Every structure is written in structure tokens, then in C-alpha cells.
Amino acid sequence: MATPINGSIVKAFAILQLFSDERPEISAATVAAELDTNVPTAHRFLVTLEEVGALVSYRRGYFCLGPAIEGLGRLAEKNDQFATRTISHVRRLADALNESVMVCRLSRRGPACISVAMSKRPISVNISIGTVLPIETTAQGKIWLADMGMQDRLKWAKQHELPPEAELAEIAASGFARNRGENEPEIGALSVPIRDSSGKIAATLSTFGMLNRFDDAMVEAALPKLKAVAEELSAEL
């Protein structure tokens, strides 16, 4: 059964989206008029958002974005900058390997592609930024699973049939993971972690393409190049 959506949170974000460059301040009357609610309810939402730092009021009855939102905005901008900085790296690596390359972050549904460079082969595998991959059957997902503590891994196991513990232990020891067609028939992938300064996995770097090209010899040749670029990206976090 799907998890019910919290309507109050949806309403709160709708209120935050009323702000713009042309309208840096809003009032309860603004919220009531544009979100089809009454003024007392609108005021209660605004005061609550002020209490948690999302809004701030410098004059009676009017609210503007507060320090909590500014902090989240800076964090979002930093994350976007990382995705942007990966572009030249993945393009260079795709050219070096003659295979497609992507960077993924872990979302609550699985690894999500934030950067990709397609190979120049006549026939290649295509993927779009924002695509979410299965955690249990992809090289990218296996990297995260192998690095997780048992408690976090069990949370994923409630909804997914995870790879055997022996496979995850081998991935943790070797520092890389492979996909040999488990996710899509005839599609292979090789993935390594990108770690932050604390040693935690921040993202994955992977190359992917037709399975018949991803044999042991290709993995042996590609792995040092993947790890080298992953270290470069780690230094930029």
C-alpha cells in the first residue's frame, strides 16, 4: 500500500512557492487568495513556517524567506555545482573507455543519474539525467548496498530482493561492482564509489554498455581509469 501524502507539508511548500523576485513578501491574505484557503488558516501556516526558520517577518503581517530556506538553497546550489563539475570528467572518461559513463546519487527509490556522457559508438545504451535505477540489480546500487550497515540494508530488503551477502562482501572488499545483465538483458556496467572527505559514499561513477563488451579483460582495463576519475571527483566534494 502506498504511503499517504501529508497534506500540510504539500500546503507549506505551495506557500513557499508563492515567493518570487517580483514578490519577496507575502501575507495571509495573499496565501488565502491564491491557495483557496481562509485567512486564519493561512496565518497559522505562515507563523508555523516562521517558527521553524523557513520564513521571517520584518513588518507586521508580512513574511519573507528565512535563514533555514537560505541554508537549504546554498546546499542545493552546492549539489548542483557538483553535478555540473562532473560533466567534463564523465565526457573525458567516456572518450577514454569508448563506453557511456554516468554519475549517480542515491535517492529513496534507488540510484539517480545526475550526469551522463554517451559513447560515440554507433550503437550505445542511452539513459537520461533523473533516471532512477533499481538498487538491487545494478552495479551502482550494489556499491551502496555493500557500503551500508546492516540496519540500513534491511530497510531496503523490505521492498527489494537484495544480492547475496557474499557478493556484497566481495564488492566491499574490492571497491567495485559489476552488472552482468541482471537489470537489463544484454546490458553490462562497472561502478566505483565517489567518497566525500569523511569516507562516506557521496555518489557512484560507472560505465555501461552492451554486455558482450563488458568481459573480464575490459573490466581489468577500465577499472583503474574509473577509480582515478572517482578520486578526482572526490577531491571536488
Side-chain angles (χ1 to χ4, degrees):
M1 183 174 65
T3 302
I5 300 298
N6 189 308
S8 293
I9 295 177
V10 173
K11 180 72 75 173
F13 271 86
I15 290 171
L16 294 174
Q17 290 171 340
L18 294 177
F19 290 96
S20 66
D21 289 338
E22 294 73 27
R23 185 167 57 190
E25 291 184 322
I26 62 173
S27 66
T30 305
V31 175
E34 298 204 18
L35 299 183
D36 193 26
T37 187
N38 57 61
V39 171
T41 298
H43 182 73
R44 185 168 67 252
F45 269 99
L46 291 169
V47 170
T48 302
L49 288 168
E50 181 186 21
E51 179 66 23
V52 299
L55 300 181
V56 63
S57 178
Y58 294 113
R59 61 191 183 108
R60 185 178 179 85
Y62 288 86
F63 299 81
C64 60
L65 294 175
I69 296 298
E70 292 173 4
L72 290 173
R74 285 192 294 270
L75 179 59
E77 183 178 4
K78 178 181 177 182
N79 289 339
D80 285 344
Q81 288 174 350
F82 174 70
T84 300
R85 287 198 299 270
T86 67
I87 294 174
S88 61
H89 293 275
V90 298
R91 285 177 178 166
R92 172 166 50 88
L93 185 57
D95 288 341
L97 298 177
N98 199 22
E99 296 289 355
S100 299
V101 174
M102 70 174 158
V103 175
C104 288
R105 285 191 177 210
L106 185 62
S107 73
R108 67 181 183 89
R109 294 189 293 123
C113 177
I114 65 168
S115 180
V116 65
M118 306 310 301
S119 79
K120 296 178 181 178
R121 292 179 179 271
I123 298 176
S124 63
V125 181
N126 193 14
I127 192 168
S128 302
I129 291 175
T131 299
V132 178
L133 306 174
I135 195 168
E136 72 277 19
T137 56
T138 60
Q140 299 84 354
K142 292 175 185 179
I143 286 288
W144 262 291
L145 288 170
D147 199 64
M148 287 179 188
M150 185 56 67
Q151 189 173 19
D152 288 334
R153 198 180 295 168
L154 288 174
K155 292 178 182 177
W156 286 96
K158 291 179 180 179
Q159 296 183 349
H160 305 273
E161 185 175 349
L162 303 187
E165 286 295 321
E167 181 182 357
L168 295 179
E170 183 179 353
I171 291 169
S174 65
F176 70 92
R178 295 175 69 176
N179 168 15
R180 299 178 175 91
E182 297 101 308
N183 185 47
E184 292 286 346
E186 305 305 322
I187 303 301
L190 174 65
S191 184
V192 298
I194 300 170
R195 297 185 182 273
D196 62 21
S197 58
S198 70
K200 294 181 179 180
I201 296 180
T204 56
L205 175 68
S206 58
T207 181
F208 58 99
M210 302 305 297
L211 181 59
N212 62 350
R213 297 197 295 265
F214 278 68
D215 56 15
D216 291 345
M218 183 273 186
V219 169
E220 184 177 355
L223 192 55
K225 297 176 182 179
L226 271 171
K227 288 185 173 181
V229 173
E231 289 182 6
E232 294 174 9
L233 290 171
S234 293
E236 297 193 18
L237 286 169

